Amino acid sequence: MAIPIAPTPVLKGKEVVDFQKRLDADLKRPAKFIETPKLGKGKELLKQYASRYKK
């Protein structure tokens, strides 16, 4: 059985101004890269797994 989707909320008045200020402030902050310490290990495990099933 499908779950009904709620309607998208509509901002009005002061809510619009506050939301736009928040968006503008977020655009000024630089995105940060987070190093994933186990990424190298995961790549190695994936290569080992793939090498077992090469045709």
Side-chain angles (χ1 to χ4, degrees), residues 4 6-7 16-17 20 26 28 35-36 38 40 42 44 54:
V16 174
V17 175
Q20 187 62 48
D26 285 346
K28 292 177 184 174
E35 184 65 34
T36 307
K38 296 184 181 181
E44 289 300 318
K54 280 192 176 178

Side-chain angles (χ1 to χ4, degrees), residues 25-41:
D26 285 346
L27 287 174
K28 292 177 184 174
R29 274 191 270 148
K32 296 178 183 174
F33 176 74
I34 298 173
E35 184 65 34
T36 307
K38 296 184 181 181
L39 187 60
K41 176 81 172 159

Side-chain angles (χ1 to χ4, degrees), residues 11 24 26 32 47 50:
L11 300 176
D24 292 340
D26 285 346
K32 296 178 183 174
K47 286 179 186 177

